[in-house]
Amino acid sequence: MDKPTSHASPLDGEALERLSGILDEALLQAREVARLTETFPELSLDDAYRIQRLGIEKRRSRGESRLGWKMGLTSEAKRQQMGLHSPVYGELTAPMEVKSTFKLAGHIHPKIEPEIAFHVKKPLKGKITREQAIEACDWVCPALEILDSRYVGFKYFSLPDVVADNSSSSRFVLGTPQKLDPKVDLKSRKMELLLNGSVKESATADAISGDPVESLVQLCELLEIHQPGVAVEGWVLAGAATSAIVLEPGQTIALRVEGFEELSVRIEA
Ligand code: OOG
Ligand code: MG
């Protein structure tokens, strides 16, 4: 006889709530905490997305409105840097957007990475094509994502750990948007991340999911699995094209994406 198997979550609602509380406190106090999987090695991806959602609900109750979504680990460079091998998503809230200055105070160990962002005007969900994704967007722009893991040392975490931590998101900076031309080919656009005027990382945009637009398709697929019925709307970060670099006070970080205006942010203590 086959051994009985159980698909029930090993963590009940109370445990998930407690774990999301640990990460939320870490975020509020800018204090690093141990990986959740140190205590709960069996943490599943689905439970991790539940913890992410509980964390977002706490932020929403503090007045943070949803601004959109982020995809992560969509490039080989990022997957190598983090030692993790599947794309993940997280949610963006309005206070996460910063303009020309980022203050390190109140953060743990932030890093920055070069991305492309899409503005989704018509809600998207489920199984969609690349063409449907493009058709739903009105704007596209270069973007810098500032990550800040709540875990000790910002390394050696598993996929469920990072998902529970809203995929290491912290802040982001949007460049000047352009209308998304349905015939646009972003794939061959050169992307350069500059530190104090010198190119530190570079790639072509096809490093992101083979084509940054594909990140939208993947986001809809992942949402269908972990949050069925939820639609994608607003700004979406497609994921970084290169590895992230560590932020220090006094730096000026810029992003050049071929065909777009250069975008920069000044890092202050
Ligand atoms: C996970 C988030 C990755 C990206 O663009 O690949 C990400 C991490 O690096 O901690 O945002
Ligand atoms: Mg990112």
Side-chain angles (χ1 to χ4, degrees), residues 70-75 77-79 81-82 84 87-88 111 113-115 145-149 151 154-155 157 159 162-163 165-169 208 237-244:
K70 65 161 280 181
M71 282 296 285
L73 307 175
T74 51
S75 70
K78 280 293 304 189
R79 292 194 282 261
Q81 184 178 35
M82 304 315 292
L84 296 172
V88 291
K111 295 183 200 170
E113 52 188 26
E115 309 218 2
E145 181 177 25
I146 297 168
L147 298 172
D148 195 16
S149 170
Y151 297 122
F154 205 155
K155 56 184 174 194
F157 43 65
L159 214 56
V162 67
V163 162
D165 189 26
N166 202 27
S167 294
S168 305
S169 63
I208 307 166
L237 298 176
T242 73
S243 356

Side-chain angles (χ1 to χ4, degrees), residues 51-114:
I51 295 170
Q52 178 187 119
R53 225 144 56 227
L54 291 169
I56 291 292
E57 277 166 25
K58 288 183 178 61
R59 294 165 65 169
R60 202 156 291 143
S61 71
R62 296 196 289 265
E64 297 190 29
S65 57
R66 181 191 285 162
L67 204 114
W69 302 88
K70 65 161 280 181
M71 282 296 285
L73 307 175
T74 51
S75 70
E76 200 42 45
K78 280 293 304 189
R79 292 194 282 261
Q80 290 294 340
Q81 184 178 35
M82 304 315 292
L84 296 172
H85 300 284
S86 329
V88 291
Y89 69 85
E91 243 187 91
L92 303 176
T93 67
M96 290 165 72
E97 185 178 359
V98 296
K99 300 288 181 192
S100 51
T101 309
F102 172 72
K103 285 197 183 344
L104 293 162
H107 298 85
I108 310 169
H109 33 212
K111 295 183 200 170
I112 199 160
E113 52 188 26

